[in-house]
Amino acid sequence: MIKFDYHEPTTLKKAFSLMERHGEDARVIAGGTSLIIMMRQRLLMPKVVISLARIPKLDRITYNGNDGLRIGAGARHRDIELSTAVQKHYPLLHETFRKVAQPRIRNMGTVGGNLAGGDPLTDPGASLIALDAEVTLSSSKGQRTLPLDEFFIDYYQTALEPGELLTEIHVPPPQRPGWSHIKFTPRSVEDFATVGVAITLQAKNGTCEDVRLGLNSVASTIVRAKKAEEVLRGKSIDDATLRKMGEVAATECEPMDDNRGSAEYKREMVKVLVRRAAQEAFQRLLK
């Protein structure tokens, strides 16, 4: 492990001050499940590490029927998985977070660190996109909000500017009660997905009124498949339309060959899993 100075600011103001003082020499740590690995592999070699662990209320999870769900960036995956409000009002998130890695990782890893890392293989981003989530980005200059589907820019690259921290995730009250999350992996659910699909759906009399579709592990970023959504929105939910939706979703992906499968294989799995996820979401509406 490399040598570095370690700071534990007790307020966001102090954290911003340290970030501005040390610039590119500093890295922020929350749960550490990604940063520590990168430092051990010497992919990152910061001279200064700034911990957010002692900043109060950064890990809170609150729910209000009018406003929806607000998740502090420091909330652990396990906190979200076990949240009563999440289990009751956002079953898609409960299903997603219970599949993240293993309990030891979920007990340490934070949702803010997960999203800010910009890793397209991780699960939460696709489900949060399917739920219309937005993120709050904060700095010494103030705050700004951004839809999550505009936050991911490229592989390990996000819309965070120098000196900014992701401080909160806001998920509005659910608008589309049909949902599904499919994490396909030929190994263990603890592994990264070969293909991940998250969908929310609203329908009436067999016709789709609205839909959101998020995909992970199939491109250099987590993807909102807008063209595939348009295939289904306003259309009858039948086998032909769902098959077309899956085919279009596959065109919105740019997967890479890796040890989880070839790019061609992943595109074929997108076709199958998008169709299956939409069917599951529709069936939940009928119950």
Side-chain angles (χ1 to χ4, degrees), residues 74-265:
R76 313 283 178 178
H77 297 315
R78 187 70 165 163
D79 298 334
I80 301 168
E81 174 192 355
L82 298 180
S83 164
T84 301
V86 169
Q87 292 181 16
K88 181 177 180 180
H89 301 287
Y90 301 88
L92 171 58
L93 289 186
H94 172 69
E95 178 71 6
T96 301
F97 278 92
R98 77 174 186 85
K99 298 175 186 173
V100 173
Q102 54 180 281
R104 285 178 296 175
I105 299 296
R106 296 200 294 275
N107 282 329
M108 290 299 298
T110 66
V111 63
N114 179 285
L115 299 177
D119 188 341
L121 301 182
T122 57
D123 304 306
S127 293
L128 287 164
I129 284 174
L131 288 165
D132 306 308
E134 62 181 11
V135 289
T136 298
L137 311 180
S138 305
S139 70
S140 61
K141 300 176 182 178
Q143 295 184 336
R144 62 189 178 109
T145 58
L146 195 67
L148 186 59
D149 61 358
E150 298 178 13
F151 179 69
F152 302 111
I153 304 299
D154 206 340
Y155 194 64
Y156 283 102
Q157 182 181 351
T158 69
L160 280 167
E161 299 288 345
E164 279 189 325
L165 289 174
L166 193 163
T167 52
E168 186 179 70
I169 301 95
H170 174 230
V171 189
Q175 302 297 315
R176 297 171 297 278
W179 64 272
S180 177
H181 180 261
I182 299 177
K183 178 179 181 177
F184 175 75
T185 170
R187 307 180 197 179
S188 165
V189 73
E190 297 176 356
D191 193 11
F192 288 121
T194 302
V195 174
V197 179
I199 190 170
T200 57
L201 178 68
Q202 174 64 299
K204 185 176 182 181
N205 298 327
T207 298
C208 174
E209 294 185 329
D210 198 14
V211 60
R212 292 288 186 281
L213 177 63
L215 306 171
N216 61 283
S217 299
V218 295
S220 61
T221 69
I222 297 172
V223 175
R224 178 181 170 191
K226 294 183 179 180
K227 293 179 182 178
E229 292 173 1
E230 286 303 315
V231 171
L232 187 59
R233 189 177 291 112
K235 307 293 195 312
S236 175
I237 302 175
D238 54 38
D239 288 343
T241 305
L242 296 185
R243 187 176 299 276
K244 179 65 174 177
M245 182 186 187
E247 292 172 352
V248 171
T251 70
E252 298 185 77
C253 302
E254 295 181 0
M256 297 182 293
D257 297 334
D258 59 23
N259 61 356
R260 295 177 181 83
S262 68
E264 181 181 0
Y265 173 72

